[in-house]
Amino acid sequence: MASCVRVWLNRTYAENVFFMDQLRRNPSDRAVEIHATHGDPDSPVLAAADTAELEPEGLSPAAYVEYALAQCARRGIDVFVPRLHQGAIVAHRAEFEAAGTALLAPPPEAVAVFHDKVIAYEAVQAIGVPVPPWWRVRSADELVHAVDELEAHGHRACFKPASGAGGVGYRVITRAPFSLTQLNGFPSPYVPLELVLEAVRQAEEPVDWLVMPVLGQPEVSVDCLTGPDNRLRLAVGRTKNGRRRGFTLHEQWLEPARRIAEGFGLHHLSNIQFRMFGERPVLMDVNTRPAGGLHQLSLCGVNVPWAAVRLALGDDPGEMFPPFLGQDYSVVSGPRPLRPVPVSQRGTDLPADLPTPALSGVPASAGPAVPAGSRAAAGSGQVRAAAADAVAGGPAWGTHHR
């Protein structure tokens, strides 16, 4: 009988409770035990795991690597899926392998390229993948220039951090003055330009933003599984147009995603996002980690988390095709149980000189539940050269690209 596979997810998104569910319901009928760590004792992933611990706060990337190596040795981790401090962790891949742990993550060169969106846009442009016009902005004057240029060409401007994940920090610029319009109804991403400029001028440090046009729908997130040989094993697009979600295998989305995943060596799981700029798809973002919505591909008859774990363990699943594309769907919230952590164990209430307590490895049988955001289910030489140039020097700020 095959041995149990021990998988660790560190400080990951709440949606990855479904990633964990799929590992346990794998088609190989292989036993899987899941270890989870997080900084929030009320994270649903802690309750969904077989064993769980609170992570220490305030560790530098180097200190976190030491913590992670100790976790892998103590817990007998076979596969580590790092999200927090991914770049620092993959730079020590050899040390994790020596401890018997495979990293389900790309090599450090790939992580470095896509950590900074400006470097990423420069790099993918070099291999012919279209991107929207963009400006790197660090001052109020640069922001005004970028917004003026976009509006002169009939576009609405938006900005987001040059590095970051998800929609954190995304805002849309409006010329309308602040009024009750901004205070009525639900919070909106729209912010008046004058308020943004005032905040930038009063900030103690320069901002580091990417300013670009608001892109059109549909949004297509291509989930990719790529082997260490830089060959794609699976690519499926998840479409989003308002509330309606669906799936696509159209080459206008898969071809540029394949070029990026294979060309830059995005080994294991990555997520490559596109939107429309006029009549053509352009790159929006590249995530060097599993997407929170990856589990939705189960509606197409594939268990991608398990295929990725197999690949990390050297058991190559080969080229995969979804047997069918699931019907269109929507996403809804649903309850997930939490661990019954006493108030005295919550990290915010711990004295500074006490170690962070470990959480019980036994899932709660009953207790409070909260909505957890659950959801229905170019040549390689040219590419590597572009990536190396981008990481080494990076583009000059304020450069405009079309």
Side-chain angles (χ1 to χ4, degrees):
M1 179 181 294
S3 61
C4 177
V5 179
R6 186 81 166 146
V7 181
W8 173 27
L9 288 82
N10 76 330
R11 205 172 295 210
T12 192
Y13 305 109
E15 291 88 344
N16 275 333
V17 294
F18 305 110
F19 186 103
M20 298 157 73
D21 290 343
Q22 287 187 286
L23 289 183
R24 293 191 179 102
R25 297 196 302 265
N26 67 81
S28 303
D29 199 26
R30 184 91 176 262
V32 176
E33 290 185 0
I34 298 173
H35 181 57
T37 58
H38 209 284
D40 179 5
D42 288 338
S43 170
V45 299
L46 297 181
D50 297 289
T51 59
E53 292 184 23
L54 291 176
E55 290 190 356
E57 296 291 345
L59 294 182
S60 67
Y64 193 91
V65 170
E66 294 302 316
Y67 160 79
L69 284 166
Q71 282 279 314
C72 289
R74 184 163 64 92
R75 295 286 182 175
I77 301 299
D78 299 300
V79 178
F80 178 20
V81 188
R83 190 200 66 81
L84 183 65
H85 294 312
Q86 186 191 61
I89 289 166
V90 296
H92 293 265
R93 186 181 301 270
E95 294 172 50
F96 284 93
E97 290 178 348
T101 301
L103 296 182
L104 202 157
E109 298 82 6
V111 174
V113 169
F114 296 105
H115 175 72
D116 185 301
K117 292 178 174 61
V118 172
I119 293 177
Y121 277 15
E122 288 278 9
V124 300
Q125 275 187 302
I127 63 168
V129 174
V131 301
W134 55 270
W135 288 258
R136 189 168 207 160
V137 163
R138 292 191 172 99
S139 70
D141 290 343
E142 291 173 14
L143 177 60
V144 170
H145 172 73
V147 173
D148 286 345
E149 285 290 313
L150 283 167
E151 292 181 345
H153 289 85
H155 305 301
R156 172 165 281 178
C158 66
F159 64 88
K160 55 187 176 182
S163 61
V168 176
Y170 173 81
R171 298 293 187 273
V172 178
I173 294 288
T174 176
R175 297 276 186 172
F178 186 79
S179 67
L180 285 177
T181 301
Q182 278 79 33
L183 300 179
N184 291 331
F186 292 104
S188 155
Y190 291 88
V191 290
L193 177 60
E194 288 305 316
L195 291 185
V196 178
L197 292 174
E198 181 181 357
V200 171
R201 291 182 179 119
Q202 293 182 357
E204 295 181 358
E205 297 180 356
V207 297
D208 188 8
W209 290 342
L210 197 68
V211 177
M212 57 194 294
V214 175
L215 300 175
Q217 293 185 326
E219 177 180 321
V220 177
S221 294
V222 182
D223 294 308
C224 298
L225 176 63
T226 309
D229 57 358
N230 295 341
R231 183 168 58 83
L232 203 68
R233 303 300 194 270
L234 174 74
V236 181
R238 289 183 286 112
T239 65
K240 178 181 178 182
N241 200 334
R243 290 184 63 90
R244 181 170 291 271
R245 310 293 177 94
F247 305 99
T248 180
L249 294 176
H250 198 291
E251 280 296 306
Q252 72 171 338
W253 312 106
L254 266 57
E255 190 278 331
R258 183 183 300 111
R259 195 183 307 180
I260 292 171
E262 295 186 338
F264 291 99
L266 292 178
H267 302 167
H268 305 295
L269 291 172
S270 61
N271 175 257
I272 303 172
Q273 301 172 356
F274 301 90
R275 270 188 176 245
M276 300 298 294
F277 180 60
E279 298 299 317
R280 67 171 183 168
V282 294
L283 179 70
M284 185 170 68
D285 206 358
V286 175
N287 296 307
T288 60
R289 53 166 174 78
L294 179 67
H295 63 278
Q296 294 164 15
L297 294 188
S298 63
L299 298 176
C300 299
V302 288
N303 186 326
V304 185
W306 178 245
V309 167
R310 285 182 57 192
L311 187 61
L313 291 173
D315 179 20
D316 196 331
E319 194 168 359
M320 301 171 60
F321 299 93
F324 53 86
L325 293 183
Q327 69 179 56
D328 286 0
Y329 62 102
S330 182
V331 298
V332 295
S333 295
R336 296 287 299 201
L338 298 181
R339 289 175 178 266
V341 181
V343 172
S344 62
Q345 285 192 349
R346 294 178 183 271
T348 54
D349 297 328
L350 287 174
D353 59 343
L354 289 183
T356 303
L359 298 180
S360 168
V362 181
S365 58
V370 296
S374 61
R375 301 179 176 181
S380 60
Q382 176 191 8
V383 172
R384 282 191 285 271
D389 291 344
V391 173
W397 55 262
T399 305
H400 176 207
H401 293 270
R402 287 194 182 276

